[in-house]
Amino acid sequence: MRIRCALTAVATLGAFAALSTGTAQAAEYSSALKVKGVQYDAPGTDSNRCSGGNTKNEYLTIKNYSRTATVNLKGYVVKDATGNKFTFTASHKLEPGDYVKLRGGRGTDSDAGNVVYRQNCNFIWNNDKDTIYLYKPSGSRADVHSYTKRANDRDGNGYITYHG
């Protein structure tokens, strides 16, 4: 009888620990593509001029964490908390373990260089706090991260790493 009560107590505590741990962590979305990191505060004085500005130095790194699947970025959407968004309209395939840097400013997209430009010279990420949303072409969330400069950027370099 004591063994059964002890096992029940252990099972109950285990379930409670799993529930309390699960609620404290961010939701995981079922997607091979995830936000690897964000350079939310471009080095230097912010200038969103297309000529001579530094919006190209603000970027979001999206990585394919799948071990086997190639994922096409076409139709994926990146948004911030206020609704600024970018849609990948061209085909850009990420092999397993591959990544792309979505940069501000104007430039030439390059599969070989792992870069896509937003063709917009305005900054998308706020320097103090923001939320990054990555949506699949179906409209479901692939990944989401909120940050504040004070809590998430301890070294103050304007870059935050998420999924490593």
Side-chain angles (χ1 to χ4, degrees):
M1 183 69 157
R2 285 186 201 182
I3 293 174
R4 188 180 317 151
C5 290
L7 289 175
T8 302
V10 168
T12 302
L13 285 174
F16 177 74
L19 284 173
S20 62
T21 302
T23 56
Q25 303 211 1
E28 258 321 294
Y29 297 97
S30 62
S31 175
L33 294 186
K34 297 204 181 292
V35 175
K36 181 179 187 299
V38 62
Q39 180 72 50
Y40 67 92
D41 188 0
T45 303
D46 285 352
S47 171
N48 61 359
R49 291 187 327 248
C50 286
S51 176
N54 65 339
T55 56
K56 286 183 181 181
N57 297 326
E58 178 186 86
Y59 61 89
L60 181 70
T61 305
I62 300 169
K63 182 176 177 180
N64 181 355
Y65 285 90
S66 171
R67 293 183 181 169
T68 58
T70 297
V71 181
N72 190 344
L73 281 168
K74 187 174 184 174
Y76 274 79
V77 175
V78 172
K79 285 175 123 177
D80 76 346
T82 60
N84 295 309
K85 73 177 187 173
F86 173 82
T87 302
F88 289 91
T89 57
S91 181
H92 188 92
K93 294 182 181 176
L94 293 180
E95 302 291 329
D98 203 4
Y99 67 92
V100 66
K101 286 186 178 181
L102 175 61
R103 290 191 174 274
R106 300 191 191 285
T108 303
D109 298 349
S110 168
D111 281 339
N114 293 339
V115 65
V116 172
Y117 288 90
R118 290 189 297 111
Q119 306 304 333
N120 183 322
C121 296
N122 292 320
F123 293 98
I124 190 171
W125 312 116
N126 293 331
N127 289 351
D128 60 342
K129 64 181 178 176
D130 213 333
T131 301
I132 302 163
Y133 299 95
L134 177 63
Y135 290 97
K136 297 177 184 180
S138 66
S140 63
R141 280 192 187 160
D143 202 10
V144 63
H145 295 280
S146 293
Y147 67 84
T148 63
K149 183 174 188 159
R150 171 183 260 166
N152 303 109
D153 188 8
R154 302 234 184 255
D155 63 4
N157 68 354
Y159 186 83
I160 300 170
T161 300
Y162 293 108
H163 295 282

